[in-house]
Amino acid sequence: MRTHHTITLLTTAAATVLALTLTACNPQTSGNGKPAAPSAATPGPSSAPSSAAPATKTATLANFVGKGLQTAQDEAQAAGFYALKSHDALGRDRLQALDRNWKVCSQTPAAGASVDTGTSVDFGTVKLEETCPATDAPAPKPAGDTMPNFVGQGMKAVRGTLPANASITVKDAVQSRMVLQESNWKVCSQDPKPGTALSGRPVAFTVAKTEETCP
């Protein structure tokens, strides 16, 4: 009786081809069919933040007194100063809504100082047609329990010193005009009188335009 070995040989050859195919399709296996060891990852650059503090930059502050407010601001920024503010040098609490209409009377810090460029620079200003005061006029002090003397001071600044819930009336002392922009008016008279206890009572003022004489 004859024995056939053809099937056994074919089966062995097919198994060899299949093993080679699987090895080629799976590059993560080693030559002996076991998974290959993962390669070590290449470490990237360190992302730890630097602990070094930024260097402080200083510059000499120029003299801006006498210049237009807009020009002073532009030149200060060109020198590296960006923390700029301004105020009414006459103590009337007016806003510098259009910088080109105002001029610089004083500055803080003073000119010539070598300061940190992050320092706030404050300009005391008046309108172009006005005369700078010898020193900045102080704003009215906040009213406490008694009524201060507000005569001659700007009505807008005066209002800001009184309690937010105060009842206030303002009338034109010269004509029967409406008082629309209080920063352009000054106090001529007040009720109650200076030194009187406030205690929540209503407050009344008569006013005139800043350039006018009170009656």
Side-chain angles (χ1 to χ4, degrees):
M1 182 177 178
R2 298 177 64 184
T3 302
H4 298 278
H5 299 286
T6 304
I7 295 176
T8 301
L9 293 174
L10 290 176
T11 301
T12 302
T16 302
V17 172
L18 178 59
L20 292 174
T21 302
L22 290 176
T23 301
C25 293
N26 186 9
Q28 298 300 321
T29 59
S30 60
N32 57 8
K34 295 182 179 180
S39 59
T42 303
S46 174
S47 59
S50 174
S51 59
T56 300
K57 184 178 180 181
T58 60
T60 301
L61 195 62
N63 185 6
F64 299 108
V65 174
K67 296 187 177 184
L69 178 57
Q70 184 64 66
T71 300
Q73 291 175 335
D74 292 344
E75 292 182 1
Q77 290 179 353
F81 296 94
Y82 292 94
L84 307 176
K85 60 182 180 179
S86 60
H87 65 273
D88 184 355
L90 297 180
R92 291 161 53 188
D93 197 26
R94 295 172 295 179
L95 296 177
Q96 291 72 60
L98 188 58
D99 296 333
R100 289 178 177 82
N101 290 343
W102 296 76
K103 61 185 177 183
V104 177
C105 296
S106 64
Q107 66 181 66
T108 305
S114 181
V115 296
D116 184 345
T117 54
T119 300
S120 177
V121 180
D122 187 13
F123 297 116
T125 63
V126 297
K127 288 191 173 182
L128 297 180
E129 65 274 13
E130 297 172 339
T131 301
C132 287
T135 58
D136 284 7
K141 294 182 179 180
D145 297 330
T146 59
M147 186 73 167
N149 185 0
F150 290 126
V151 174
Q153 302 194 53
M155 185 60 223
K156 180 185 177 185
V158 167
R159 182 182 288 273
T161 69
L162 294 168
N165 62 351
S167 298
I168 303 173
T169 58
V170 181
K171 293 183 178 180
D172 182 4
V174 180
Q175 303 175 28
S176 298
R177 296 167 293 185
M178 295 183 66
V179 182
L180 298 177
Q181 193 170 352
E182 292 183 343
S183 60
N184 292 333
W185 298 74
K186 63 183 178 183
V187 175
C188 292
S189 67
Q190 62 182 64
D191 182 29
K193 301 296 183 182
T196 305
L198 285 173
S199 63
R201 63 181 294 181
V203 181
F205 297 99
T206 64
V207 296
K209 287 288 187 75
T210 303
E211 66 276 9
E212 296 174 342
T213 301
C214 287

